[in-house]
Amino acid sequence: MSDAPVYRNLIGGTWHDAASGATFANRNPADTADVIGHFADSDERDVVAAVAAAQQAYASWRLVPAPKRAEILYRAGQLLIERKEACARDMTREMGKVLKEARGDVQEAIDMMFFMAGEGRRLHGQTTPSEMPNKFQMSVRQPLGVCALITPWNFPMAIPSWKMLPALITGNTVVIKPASDTPLSVYHLVQCLTDAGLPPGVVNIVTGSGSKVGEPLMRHPDVKVISFTGSTEIGSRVARVGAEGMKHVSLELGGKNPMIVMNDADLDLAVEGALWGAFGTTGQRCTATSRLIVQRGVAAELTARLAAQAAALTVGPGLDERNQVGPSINQGQLEIVERYVQIGMAEGARLVCGGAALRDGPYARGFFHQPTIFADVTRHMRLAQEEIFGPVLSIITVEDFDEAIDVANDVPYGLSSSIYTRDVNAAFRAMRDLYTGIVYINAPTIGAEIHLPFGGTKGTGNGHREAGQQVLEVFSEWKSVYVDFSGSLQRAQIDNN
Ligand code: UN1
């Protein structure tokens, strides 16, 4: 074991080694010799203890007035502002994204703190007239209990904040299992909350693998809500487990997000947008632009300009602010990228830029890959259908608007989409006809803000949305309350008819 710090599970407000005593190392994907910390390699015993602590804390947390819960979130948001730079640097070390983007990830959690704190003074329900005289009725939100949050490595702080903060403001308690590649960012987020006065047991952290921690956590009978972000394959497993236990399940899964560029588009803008959408975060966003659907009139020029500019992007460790593209998260993810490059070649797509992992010299201890672009991709190639989660962009040429929309929608996912055009009619038709949860006009497919709902159609999820006020639906249930002050029995549907 290196001399890097040891981080224990947080259970009931105190720090605990895994019951097994085992740990795992969290390494920098830009330099695997750099160990960021050792984390508890937990199992079902730790999960059981954490859920019990969360269940116990729920008894009092549910009764704390929501505006008081909100005050803790406000204070935590202030602390996170103070700690932003340190958190961003640690995030770049553990996740690899370039520092500017890591700062954005922390900022997204700050935004979520203040937004959800504001919700603490709203959490509106309805009042509505009764059919009967002398009768009052309303609907109120109520929490559910213990929420299991299983979070990914690509937005190590933002996505946990999307789940944790709405869970807390509505009065639930939490057990979070962070991705094993990026647990430290979750510790930083939770530390802000506990420093801001969050009572013990309201948030518990258990680190470890999906099979030993995630699985027993979501199966635990006292867990009432499961919120999961990850692959569609695992997501459908989570949905089945949730169905067996009659739990609320919110899933945020894959994407194969298209950017359409019409002949009349501002090409300078489209080139810049495509580079940012495809290669920002090394393509490791659910919202990454992975298909460029280009009208034939501008296809050759756009392809040439993009290939030249993508080849000029500087790849390297994200802590060096000259670098624009960081590493893939781990060896497995890098191999997936390499495999899709092979698949693309075998399918007959034309490689116009990149195509190889970078393993020499300064890249030797990291998981780096060249920004890669394929042209002449056709709509049904695997390259055009399957989520890659890496720096690979596929260019598909189409004849007209209708074909562009048809190709855009012809994938199993529906998270984000975009169109570049100067034609306002085409833009509005696209807003209507692109079947995705998020649509951008003259902007790439990434860059959602936290006060609008985030999520997608088809294989991207199960109909729920994160962020926005809509996320409150995941973490609360409606209770309809009828108050009869007539002093006599009034039978609805009977006495007034
Ligand atoms: C994700 O892609 O997994 O919209 C989350 C965006 C970010 C969040 C992305 N605000 O690109």
Side-chain angles (χ1 to χ4, degrees):
M1 205 157 119
S2 74
D3 55 7
V6 174
Y7 296 88
R8 301 184 165 81
N9 288 329
L10 177 63
I11 298 177
T14 51
W15 302 102
H16 297 264
D17 288 325
S20 67
T23 62
F24 65 91
N26 174 13
R27 289 173 190 275
N28 181 342
D31 176 2
T32 52
D34 178 23
V35 177
I36 290 133
H38 299 275
F39 289 78
D41 190 2
S42 314
D43 60 31
E44 183 159 9
R45 293 167 288 176
D46 308 294
V47 168
V48 167
V51 173
Q55 182 69 28
Q56 193 187 343
Y58 178 61
S60 46
W61 181 246
R62 63 183 273 272
L63 300 177
V64 174
K68 293 290 169 203
R69 299 197 285 254
E71 286 172 16
I72 297 173
L73 267 54
Y74 276 121
R75 279 197 294 276
Q78 290 294 351
L79 291 173
L80 194 48
I81 290 173
E82 289 166 20
R83 299 173 191 179
K84 178 173 172 180
E85 187 62 19
C87 289
R89 286 180 178 275
D90 274 351
M91 184 186 296
T92 293
R93 254 182 92 203
E94 72 171 350
M95 189 276 170
K97 64 173 70 178
V98 297
L99 195 49
K100 197 188 328 171
E101 294 185 26
R103 292 188 187 113
D105 194 317
V106 178
Q107 185 59 47
E108 200 158 340
I110 293 168
D111 296 344
M112 197 67 188
M113 290 275 195
F114 293 126
F115 177 55
M116 277 298 135
E119 288 309 301
R121 283 191 183 267
R122 284 185 286 270
L123 295 178
H124 298 141
Q126 284 181 298
T127 60
T128 182
S130 167
E131 301 165 8
M132 304 290 187
N134 298 321
K135 192 175 167 195
F136 175 84
Q137 51 203 36
M138 62 183 167
S139 60
V140 294
R141 288 187 186 276
Q142 56 184 343
L144 287 100
V146 181
C147 303
L149 313 182
I150 301 176
T151 56
W153 47 261
N154 69 330
F155 274 78
M157 190 178 281
I159 292 180
S161 83
W162 294 357
K163 299 180 190 302
M164 192 180 301
L165 304 177
L168 296 180
I169 201 67
T170 44
N172 305 281
T173 57
V174 163
V175 178
I176 183 166
K177 186 204 98 62
S180 296
D181 283 310
T182 58
L184 183 56
S185 296
V186 166
Y187 278 72
H188 289 330
L189 178 70
V190 172
Q191 192 68 50
C192 289
L193 288 161
T194 54
D195 290 349
L198 194 76
V202 174
V203 171
N204 304 274
I205 309 175
V206 181
T207 54
S209 68
S211 56
K212 286 193 301 186
V213 177
E215 192 75 31
L217 177 58
M218 62 190 185
R219 286 191 182 284
H220 195 297
D222 288 340
V223 165
K224 304 300 180 201
V225 181
I226 309 168
S227 179
F228 170 82
T229 297
S231 71
T232 299
E233 187 193 351
I234 310 268
S236 100
R237 248 196 82 55
V238 175
R240 284 194 295 270
V241 169
E244 282 163 20
M246 297 298 282
K247 298 167 195 283
H248 284 210
V249 178
S250 171
L251 302 171
E252 196 56 60
L253 310 173
K256 191 69 190 174
N257 312 294
M259 174 195 287
I260 297 170
V261 182
M262 303 301 292
N263 284 345
D264 70 346
D266 176 338
L267 278 201
D268 293 340
L269 195 64
V271 168
E272 201 183 8
L275 288 172
W276 172 231
F279 304 120
T281 327
T282 320
Q284 300 176 113
R285 297 194 188 210
C286 320
T287 52
T289 304
S290 58
R291 295 180 296 151
L292 197 65
I293 300 172
V294 188
Q295 198 174 3
R296 186 168 301 280
V298 288
E301 184 184 348
L302 190 62
T303 303
R305 288 177 61 179
L306 268 175
Q309 293 206 26
L313 290 171
T314 47
V315 179
L319 284 174
D320 180 340
E321 297 207 52
R322 288 167 302 187
N323 291 328
Q324 295 163 290
V325 180
S328 292
I329 186 69
N330 55 35
Q331 180 67 28
Q333 200 61 39
L334 180 61
E335 284 169 10
I336 290 172
V337 173
E338 291 185 285
R339 196 172 332 126
Y340 274 101
V341 170
Q342 294 310 317
I343 289 170
M345 308 279 239
E347 286 179 310
R350 179 165 57 94
L351 185 66
V352 295
C353 161
L358 296 160
R359 293 210 167 82
D360 298 331
Y363 300 120
R365 293 203 304 248
F367 306 116
F368 294 96
H369 195 280
Q370 294 171 320
T372 297
I373 301 178
F374 281 100
D376 299 341
V377 176
T378 58
R379 63 197 286 174
H380 291 130
M381 285 181 184
R382 289 183 63 190
L383 211 50
Q385 290 288 321
E386 299 174 16
E387 184 173 52
I388 301 173
F389 232 66
V392 181
L393 178 66
S394 296
I395 302 180
I396 304 170
T397 303
V398 294
E399 302 305 326
D400 55 23
F401 176 86
D402 288 342
E403 192 188 354
I405 297 288
D406 195 36
V407 170
N409 286 336
D410 188 14
V411 288
Y413 302 105
L415 181 52
S416 182
S417 58
S418 99
I419 185 168
Y420 280 69
T421 178
R422 290 186 168 106
D423 176 349
V424 71
N425 295 346
F428 270 86
R429 283 207 302 273
M431 283 181 236
R432 182 191 62 198
D433 294 339
L434 285 167
Y435 183 44
T436 53
I438 304 171
V439 176
Y440 291 90
I441 308 298
N442 292 329
T445 57
I446 68 178
E449 301 177 26
I450 56 88
H451 46 300
L452 281 181
F454 182 97
T457 61
K458 300 187 279 186
T460 296
N462 60 342
H464 293 289
R465 291 292 181 267
E466 307 210 84
Q469 289 183 314
Q470 287 71 9
V471 70
L472 300 174
E473 301 301 327
V474 172
F475 292 103
S476 63
E477 281 183 312
W478 286 109
K479 180 180 279 178
S480 298
V481 180
Y482 299 90
V483 183
D484 192 318
F485 55 97
S486 70
S488 53
L489 175 66
Q490 301 195 86
R491 294 170 297 182
Q493 295 93 36
I494 295 170
D495 287 339
N496 260 2
N497 291 295

